[in-house]
Amino acid sequence: VPELSSKERIDANCYSTYGGSGGLFFEEKYNAETNSNEYSFIGVIWGVTDEKFNEQGQLIKDENVVTSITPVSVFYDKLTEILKKN
């Protein structure tokens, strides 16, 4: 929902790849009680990559690019409305 996401995008120092736009972004946390990892849905990656090709044509992380994330809070109500209709 671009008209919603453009208002409240946040910059995140995270790793994304070409084609990552629209991908789901999660936070991983370790739960010592259950001895497992838990994941929280943070938002959606927004059309920015933090990779580049080096002189040898290898894809490497570009430290100067910050990925833009649309927080789930921006589109939660709209998404819930769509899901209820279907």
Side-chain angles (χ1 to χ4, degrees), residues 20-49:
S21 180
L24 305 181
F25 187 78
F26 292 87
E27 178 182 27
E28 179 181 42
K29 290 183 181 177
Y30 177 73
N31 184 330
E33 290 180 18
T34 62
N35 193 30
S36 63
N37 292 329
E38 295 179 351
Y39 301 89
S40 298
F41 181 37
I42 302 297
V44 175
I45 297 170
W46 185 265
V48 177
T49 183

Side-chain angles (χ1 to χ4, degrees), residues 13-76:
N13 190 7
C14 63
Y15 184 78
S16 66
T17 61
Y18 288 108
S21 180
L24 305 181
F25 187 78
F26 292 87
E27 178 182 27
E28 179 181 42
K29 290 183 181 177
Y30 177 73
N31 184 330
E33 290 180 18
T34 62
N35 193 30
S36 63
N37 292 329
E38 295 179 351
Y39 301 89
S40 298
F41 181 37
I42 302 297
V44 175
I45 297 170
W46 185 265
V48 177
T49 183
D50 60 7
E51 289 181 336
K52 65 179 179 180
F53 288 102
N54 66 10
E55 300 79 30
Q56 291 82 33
Q58 298 167 318
L59 207 54
I60 59 170
K61 184 167 176 59
D62 184 350
E63 300 297 333
N64 299 315
V65 176
V66 177
T67 302
S68 180
I69 303 292
T70 301
V72 69
S73 60
V74 172
F75 57 84
Y76 180 82

Side-chain angles (χ1 to χ4, degrees), residues 1 4 71-84:
V1 186
L4 296 176
V72 69
S73 60
V74 172
F75 57 84
Y76 180 82
D77 291 340
K78 184 71 173 172
L79 178 62
T80 304
E81 177 186 317
I82 292 169
L83 292 173
K84 285 181 181 177

